[in-house]
Amino acid sequence: MINKEITCNGKNVDIRSIRQSDHKIFLDWQELDELNRYFPNKNFLNEIKNKSWVNSKINDKNGLYFIIMDAKDKTNIGITILENIDKKNFIASWGIYIAQRRFMKKEYVFEASNLVLNFAFKNLGMKKVNGCSLANNIQGRNFHKKLGFKEEAIFNNQILIDDYYVDLIWISLTYANYFKSESYRLHP
């Protein structure tokens, strides 16, 4: 990771850099099948449950990996990432995963997203943040739009889900669009 210990605090959630001990947290996360079907990386939960994944991310010189916690009781509710951080072109890739259904609410998801995006733009000086979404994930696509992301490209028939291929949509958020977004105005 670029920095060993980063913490950002919000009203409803806090985010902090992952630690070696977080491996145990990931082991308790269960698959939410109906929600994971909209996640481009179907193996994500299996990957993060592997102790070597945490080690590799802690040592990743081009990535930041954050645990999302409830601000009140410090319950671990998910993970958000900035990876493939390009310090020459000031571009990074972003993603978020909420592991507990009771925290899949706007006040948690938008705030966690804004904390990490604010960090990317204000602290790291990123000019653009990229991500991806599945075409059939209407709720996720609307969420990205409220954050200010624009859909830039469609990769046709990219991800196999339930025996049929789904398009993958490449999204991006520029510095200027983020600070004009509905989400930033509501959760600065």
Side-chain angles (χ1 to χ4, degrees):
M1 288 189 315
I2 294 169
N3 294 302
K4 291 292 182 193
E5 188 62 37
I6 299 169
T7 303
C8 301
N9 300 314
K11 179 181 172 189
N12 299 298
V13 298
D14 299 329
I15 63 172
R16 65 155 174 82
S17 303
I18 63 167
R19 301 176 184 141
Q20 189 62 49
S21 59
D22 292 332
H23 167 66
K24 295 173 186 163
I25 294 166
F26 301 146
L27 291 174
D28 292 335
W29 288 358
Q30 302 299 314
E31 276 201 52
L32 302 171
D33 288 334
E34 70 279 5
L35 299 170
N36 285 339
R37 66 188 333 255
Y38 295 112
F39 207 66
N41 181 353
K42 298 289 283 176
N43 295 319
F44 179 72
L45 276 180
N46 289 330
E47 290 172 8
I48 68 173
K49 289 179 180 184
N50 185 327
K51 198 171 191 175
S52 66
W53 185 89
V54 174
N55 288 335
S56 71
K57 300 312 175 188
I58 287 172
N59 295 315
D60 184 349
K61 297 193 184 322
N62 296 310
L64 293 168
Y65 304 83
F66 299 97
I67 289 288
I68 306 167
M69 301 174 297
D70 180 288
K72 293 175 188 73
D73 67 12
K74 302 302 180 197
T75 300
N76 297 299
I77 64 172
I79 188 169
T80 186
I81 63 173
L82 287 170
E83 58 185 0
N84 303 317
I85 296 172
D86 179 340
K87 298 170 195 158
K88 178 181 175 191
N89 295 301
F90 302 99
I91 298 172
S93 297
W94 164 81
I96 187 167
Y97 180 80
I98 302 297
Q100 296 191 36
R101 185 181 310 284
R102 66 186 171 116
F103 292 105
M104 291 180 184
K105 300 175 184 170
K106 288 181 184 178
E107 61 267 24
Y108 295 101
V109 180
F110 278 103
E111 189 172 65
S113 298
N114 279 316
L115 287 172
V116 75
L117 292 169
N118 262 316
F119 190 84
F121 290 120
K122 291 181 178 177
N123 296 75
L124 298 178
M126 293 294 111
K127 300 299 178 201
K128 188 176 188 180
V129 174
N130 298 315
C132 60
S133 182
L134 296 178
N136 62 344
N137 184 358
I138 304 305
Q139 184 177 358
R141 290 171 66 189
N142 288 333
F143 164 66
H144 295 137
K145 288 175 185 173
K146 287 180 181 175
L147 286 171
F149 281 91
K150 305 287 184 209
E151 294 182 353
E152 282 195 350
I154 298 173
F155 298 92
N156 294 315
N157 302 316
Q158 192 73 18
I159 307 291
L160 182 65
I161 297 176
D162 297 335
D163 297 326
Y164 71 96
Y165 283 94
V166 177
D167 296 346
L168 182 70
I169 299 176
W170 187 259
I171 59 173
S172 70
L173 177 62
T174 63
Y175 179 93
N177 285 343
Y178 174 65
F179 291 105
K180 289 188 236 174
S181 73
E182 173 185 348
S183 178
Y184 180 76
R185 288 192 309 273
L186 296 174
H187 309 276

